[in-house]
Amino acid sequence: MNGHTGRRVVTNMSLTLDGRYAGPAGPHDLGWVMPYATTDVARDHLSELWRTATTALLGRVNAEGFMGYWPPVADDGSADARDRGFASWLVEAEKVVLSGTLTDPPWERTRVENAPAADVVDRLKAEEGGDVLVLSSASVIRALLAADRVDRLALMIFPEFVGGGPRLFDDGLPTGKWSLVSHTAGEHGTVGLVYDRIG
């Protein structure tokens, strides 16, 4: 890619043991996430990802969810310090929201892009900054995987079968090899995996 500045596209997604990012009732069927999202391994996993990032890339639905929940956590003295850290980062970071319906961003430091995810990350990678972190936006991550634009793939694996629902990895993805950068395991059998694209 021309004009590459060294910025990485880092994607983060939680998956069930049977490979789903949502349950059989659809994209909002995420009840299985809740028992694991507040474990030490999940919080530490996310902390390692946002510390090197300066841009959050989100789909509209995820942006509304993240920005509806996280900003107040930054000032919540009773919240876990790692949650406050992430919330503060999210508020201060540049946010790029992919949407064909949203025109004026309702959040500060946010711009809306109505363009294919691959084109948007190509432009972002030509700009100065830290990593571009794609936060749990399955449609964005799937498009970037299909376009071979993911540099670092981070996964939280939660030990449940949900028996149905959408999968992150489609058939026909570009072939390639990945190197395991880190792996952690914690409460309830939760596992964090981080892979870098090597070819």
Side-chain angles (χ1 to χ4, degrees):
M1 282 172 261
N2 294 333
H4 189 281
T5 60
R7 301 185 85 179
R8 296 176 300 183
V9 175
V10 179
T11 62
N12 186 49
M13 179 60 77
S14 296
L15 297 177
T16 62
L17 199 55
D18 56 345
R20 319 289 179 166
Y21 63 82
H28 299 290
D29 186 355
L30 298 171
W32 52 273
V33 171
M34 300 321 296
Y36 311 106
T38 57
T39 59
D40 285 334
V41 68
R43 284 174 161 142
D44 290 344
H45 173 86
L46 183 57
S47 295
E48 289 302 311
L49 299 176
W50 66 256
R51 290 186 198 285
T52 58
T54 55
T55 301
L57 178 61
L58 299 141
R60 178 188 58 81
V61 173
N62 260 36
E64 289 170 347
F66 272 75
M67 296 309 293
Y69 176 80
W70 282 105
V73 176
D75 300 316
D76 182 354
S78 66
D80 186 280
R82 293 162 293 187
D83 292 346
R84 291 197 310 271
F86 172 71
S88 296
W89 172 83
L90 185 62
V91 169
E92 295 300 321
E94 171 192 38
K95 290 165 284 292
V96 179
V97 178
L98 299 180
S99 176
T101 57
L102 196 62
T103 51
D104 296 320
W107 313 286
E108 293 183 3
R109 290 176 281 287
T110 304
R111 70 183 197 240
V112 176
E113 294 271 5
N114 182 7
D119 294 349
V120 172
V121 298
D122 285 349
R123 288 195 292 272
L124 287 170
K125 288 183 77 167
E127 300 171 3
E128 294 298 323
D131 291 342
V132 177
L133 179 57
V134 188
L135 291 160
S136 303
S137 292
S139 62
V140 178
I141 295 173
R142 292 173 78 197
L144 293 175
L145 286 168
D148 203 14
R149 294 299 198 279
V150 176
D151 301 303
R152 173 165 281 188
L153 177 66
L155 302 169
M156 284 300 309
I157 310 298
F158 296 153
E160 290 199 19
F161 282 12
V162 292
R167 294 182 182 276
L168 183 64
F169 302 112
D170 289 328
D171 288 343
L173 289 175
T175 59
K177 294 187 178 181
W178 297 78
S179 173
L180 182 64
V181 175
S182 67
H183 57 93
T184 54
E187 303 156 72
H188 314 298
T190 304
V191 178
L193 301 168
V194 179
Y195 292 91
D196 278 353
R197 183 84 156 83
I198 58 172

